[in-house]
Every structure is written in structure tokens, then in C-alpha cells.
Amino acid sequence: MKHAKTANTNSLKNYRYLMAVAGLTVSMYGVNALYKLLPTHHATYKLMACSMSFVLTLVMLNYIYQAWGTKKYFQAGAIAWVLNVTSLFYHWSAQWGALDLVSHLALLLAFFMHWWVLNQLEEKVTIPWRLFLALAAAILVDNAFLMTGLVAHFGIAKAWLKLLTSIGLKLCYSAIAALSVYTSHKLALSTRTARPTSIASAFYRKG
């Protein structure tokens, strides 16, 4: 019976990990694909969609780290890296090629910075704060490296505008993600503390 329970627990963990990787797949492809699939004249919508996909990718990696640790984080990060490479090749064009390559390298640095901050702040700050700070660090590293490609492609004036807009959007999405985690934790905690009270009160009413 104990072995059956352990097997069921392992199966559930594997299922959750596969679902997390599936979510990572969707968000990872969205980073590159949405920017090119959306109409050119909707530049703001492009940045909004890509920024949301970028933050969602890191949120999924954050969940994997919290649930399974560093080994699974880098395993999932490697999967995301391969997915990004295939996305770059699928949507490759001479016009965007250099910028795509720079963004790919920037993403690798963002993944590593995200993990490093999560690892350094573990047991030091609460999970919502750890999530936000890790996302913010990854965003700044990603955009600092990406700036070289943006300047080469758009010029310094447009590059700064796109960079600041991208950072602002990503930080807003990061704050929403951290606030959502904080709220869910509070609700879960209130639910756990309410249940014993309700049971106890029911017991005393019967008495």
C-alpha cells in the first residue's frame, strides 16, 4: 500500500512537471513568434505580448525551481533554450536575424540571473518578494544585453524608447505575478486556519 501511494505521488509530480514544461513551451514560443505574427503597425501590442510571454516564461521556471529545485530548473531551462533555437530558425529572416541572435543570448543570461537570485534569496525573503526580485534582475540583465542589438537595428533614439517601454511593461507584469502569488498564499493560509475553527465550532455546538 505504501509503495502504491509513493508511486501515485511520483506520477503526480511527473505530471505536474510535464504540465509546467508545456506551459513553458507555450510562453517560450510566444516570446519570438508573437512579435513577428502581430501586424507591424501595432508596435505597442507587440511589446506587450512579448513582454508578457517573457515574464510568463520566467514565472514557469520559478515554479519549477520552487517545486523541484536547481536540477529541474536547469533541465527546463535547457528545454526552453532548445525551443528558442527552433523558434529562431523557424522565424529566421535576414532583416531580424542579428537581433534574434542577440535576444537569444540575452535570454540565456536572464535565465541564469533569475536562478542565481532565487538561489541567493532562498529562506531570506518571502516567495512573492523573491519572485519579483528575481524577475526584475533577469529583466534588467536581458535588456542590458539586448540593447546592443536594438541599437544596431533601430538606432540609438528608437532603441532607448523600445528598451524603456519593454522594461516598464515587464516590471508591471512581474509586479502582477508577485501580487498574484501573495494573494493566493494569503487565501490558502486563511482557508487552512478557517477549517479547524469551523470544525471546532461545530463540535462545541453539538456539545
Side-chain angles (χ1 to χ4, degrees):
M1 186 71 180
K2 185 177 180 180
H3 291 296
K5 186 176 181 180
T6 303
N8 290 335
T9 302
N10 291 334
S11 297
L12 181 60
K13 287 182 178 179
N14 291 333
Y15 173 75
R16 287 177 177 174
Y17 179 70
L18 290 175
M19 292 300 295
V21 171
L24 185 65
T25 301
V26 173
S27 60
M28 193 69 257
Y29 272 113
V31 172
N32 288 310
L34 287 174
Y35 195 86
K36 294 178 181 177
L37 291 176
L38 289 173
T40 305
H41 57 279
H42 289 161
T44 303
Y45 295 143
K46 284 174 176 284
L47 281 175
M48 290 175 65
C50 292
S51 298
M52 185 181 296
S53 294
F54 178 86
V55 172
L56 181 59
T57 297
L58 293 177
V59 168
M60 295 304 300
L61 285 173
N62 178 84
Y63 170 72
I64 290 170
Y65 176 82
Q66 298 295 340
W68 294 281
T70 294
K71 183 178 179 180
K72 288 292 187 181
Y73 179 95
F74 281 106
Q75 184 184 78
I79 293 172
W81 183 81
V82 172
L83 291 173
N84 197 46
V85 169
T86 58
S87 177
L88 289 178
F89 279 119
Y90 183 75
H91 297 285
W92 184 265
S93 66
Q95 180 183 1
W96 297 94
L99 184 59
D100 285 344
L101 183 59
V102 171
S103 68
H104 174 65
L105 296 175
L107 193 62
L108 292 179
L109 294 176
F111 283 172
F112 181 80
M113 177 57 67
H114 182 252
W115 166 81
W116 186 82
V117 173
L118 288 175
N119 188 57
Q120 292 298 312
L121 296 181
E122 194 166 2
E123 307 300 334
K124 295 180 180 179
V125 296
T126 60
I127 291 177
W129 270 111
R130 189 158 70 243
L131 170 62
F132 179 76
L133 292 174
L135 288 172
I139 289 166
L140 294 176
V141 168
D142 175 77
N143 283 274
F145 193 84
L146 186 60
M147 184 63 184
T148 56
L150 290 173
V151 170
H153 191 86
F154 295 106
I156 187 68
K158 290 184 178 180
W160 274 111
L161 179 60
K162 290 181 179 294
L163 182 74
L164 294 176
T165 304
S166 175
I167 292 174
L169 287 170
K170 289 172 182 174
L171 289 177
C172 286
Y173 292 137
S174 299
I176 292 171
L179 184 60
S180 299
V181 171
Y182 173 80
T183 304
S184 64
H185 279 203
K186 283 292 185 182
L187 289 175
L189 182 62
S190 63
T191 301
R192 285 197 298 268
T193 54
R195 284 177 180 174
T197 304
S198 60
I199 294 173
S201 61
F203 175 79
Y204 285 118
R205 281 199 300 271
K206 288 182 180 179

